[in-house]
Amino acid sequence: MEIPELRIGNLVADLPIVQGGMGVRVSRAPLAAAVANEGGIGTISTLGLADLDLRGEEFYTKSKEALTNEIRYAKSLTKGHIAVNIMGVIANANDVIRTSVEEGLKIIVYGAGLPMKLPEIVPEKDVCLLPIVSSPRAATLILRYWMNKYKRFPAGFILEGPLAGGHLGFSHEELSRIEDFKLSKLLQQVLEAIRPFEAKIGQKIPVITAGGVYTGKDIADNLLAGASGVQMGTRFVCTDECSVSDAFKQAYLDAKKEDIGIIHSPVGLPGRAIRNKFILKVEEDGKQKVRCNYQCLTVCKLEEAHYCIANVLLNSYAGDVDNGLIFCGQNAYRVDKIVSVKELIGELKTEMQHSLQSALVEAIPVAEPV
Ligand SMILES: Cc1cc2nc3c(=O)[nH]c(=O)nc-3n(C[C@H](O)[C@H](O)[C@H](O)COP(=O)(O)O)c2cc1C
């Protein structure tokens, strides 16, 4: 059985694999381009690309400049599909979105908040808008609002379940009963919720599943269950092309299952990370003195924040993991080597093909003996 393509809007990717956006500076041009060169969709995270010591307005101007350079660099490395990941809670979200569109990118992935007004910011119909959702309710709200107000619908949804890395779209209470929010369950709920909208527009709205997808078999299982593709983050961190420090990658290689847990992020959302020295110290010491030059997150409550999330993510990126936050998916403890993106995707393709083939053989009815 052939590996299916991933169609979103007018775009067709050879592989149904999206490399998830990972901030701060985790998914940059080299990683995104390498994934795009293998036929998937590579995503540049727009978070924290400028020097974090800059102040106020200058930070925003330099952020725009840095993103422009990152997109141009990615485009110099690939002719494949490049997306950008935007966190709705960043203060300069609209600016970053417009910069990406002006630089010619055709895929905008929007998470950490409901992108109700996104079609106003991106009226260009040839740009695929992909909201990240974690519930059928969120998908329905977006569809209803966009179709009524803008006569527009998302080119697809990224459905992120509770095993994903980074900030999560679930409350701490929901995460305490994670079985109720299994990705496979959420997928069926979302597929059912969007069906009436698909019937109305006479078009399929692809759902791309994320969170805990680790092997090619996992990808096949998601496709067979109705997903149009998968988004993966964790597995792409330990690749040669990922820009993080060796110490960051080593923390993944060293992590045991019990080291991975949920943290309270200053963004106001739970996040999944390695419970390293830094996290243990924060839990022991409580609130630190937080210096802020530019309030990069609209939701960051400085007086309550235990640390500046931009700074501590940057520390890990740069190699100071003992003073840094390391986001990771629940499966990070399974990573045991650093490979090239080509090797990783090759392995995923072989496993995926094998699983799809087995499913096809199992589905063929056995002839009754006459
Ligand atoms: C280190 C790291 C940073 C991440 N940062 C972001 C981010 O900035 N924005 C976002 O929408 N998702 C972020 N994610 C989530 C990924 O894009 C992806 O959806 C998720 O990791 C998929 O789950 P997996 O890691 O089990 O494959 C991050 C994930 C990781 C591991």
Side-chain angles (χ1 to χ4, degrees), residues 80-267:
H81 298 298
I82 297 289
V84 276
N85 177 284
I86 317 282
M87 272 183 86
V89 292
I90 57 169
N92 57 338
N94 292 0
D95 197 23
V96 163
I97 293 168
R98 282 313 308 165
T99 303
S100 306
V101 175
E102 279 151 25
E103 284 301 312
L105 292 194
K106 299 291 180 208
I107 311 172
I108 307 281
V109 179
Y110 186 111
L114 291 182
M116 295 322 235
K117 298 211 153 51
L118 189 54
E120 262 172 54
I121 306 159
V122 188
E124 293 90 343
K125 296 263 168 54
D126 64 331
V127 177
C128 297
L129 305 178
L130 291 177
I132 303 177
V133 296
S134 291
S135 67
R137 185 168 174 271
T140 310
L141 280 174
I142 295 167
L143 275 166
R144 197 172 292 141
Y145 192 81
W146 284 21
M147 285 170 72
N148 284 341
K149 182 139 187 184
Y150 306 110
K151 310 277 174 275
R152 181 111 179 243
F153 49 89
F157 286 105
I158 309 276
L159 172 63
E160 201 178 69
L163 300 184
H167 291 111
L168 301 170
F170 299 88
S171 66
H172 286 277
E173 187 278 321
E174 286 170 333
L175 291 169
S176 70
R177 46 189 181 92
I178 212 160
E179 284 298 302
D180 293 346
F181 301 95
K182 270 191 162 173
L183 187 57
S184 53
K185 233 189 229 181
L186 291 175
L187 174 61
Q188 296 317 314
Q189 292 167 356
V190 169
L191 289 173
E192 198 180 312
I194 67 176
R195 211 163 282 139
F197 296 94
E198 291 178 316
K200 212 173 192 175
I201 60 175
Q203 217 169 303
K204 185 176 169 61
I205 302 172
V207 179
I208 297 161
T209 41
V213 179
Y214 193 81
T215 61
K217 179 180 181 309
D218 296 341
I219 302 175
D221 288 347
N222 276 269
L223 298 177
L224 292 165
S228 296
V230 297
Q231 173 168 287
M232 300 170 75
T234 294
R235 284 221 75 181
F236 286 108
V237 171
C238 284
T239 58
D240 299 327
E241 291 86 347
C242 180
S243 302
V244 295
S245 58
D246 290 346
F248 192 123
K249 294 178 189 177
Q250 192 60 43
Y252 269 45
L253 298 178
D254 293 344
K256 296 186 209 59
K257 192 173 185 177
E258 58 274 20
D259 297 333
I260 297 166
I262 299 295
I263 59 141
H264 293 260
S265 150
V267 173

Side-chain angles (χ1 to χ4, degrees), residues 26 165-166 237 244-245 247-252 255 259-261 263 271-279 312-313 315-317 319-329 332:
V26 180
V237 171
V244 295
S245 58
F248 192 123
K249 294 178 189 177
Q250 192 60 43
Y252 269 45
D259 297 333
I260 297 166
I263 59 141
R272 178 168 279 100
I274 299 180
R275 292 177 50 73
N276 62 353
K277 258 191 195 163
F278 168 74
I279 291 293
V312 299
L313 286 172
N315 284 349
S316 297
Y317 159 81
D320 183 8
V321 290
D322 288 347
N323 292 300
L325 174 60
I326 305 175
F327 277 141
C328 71

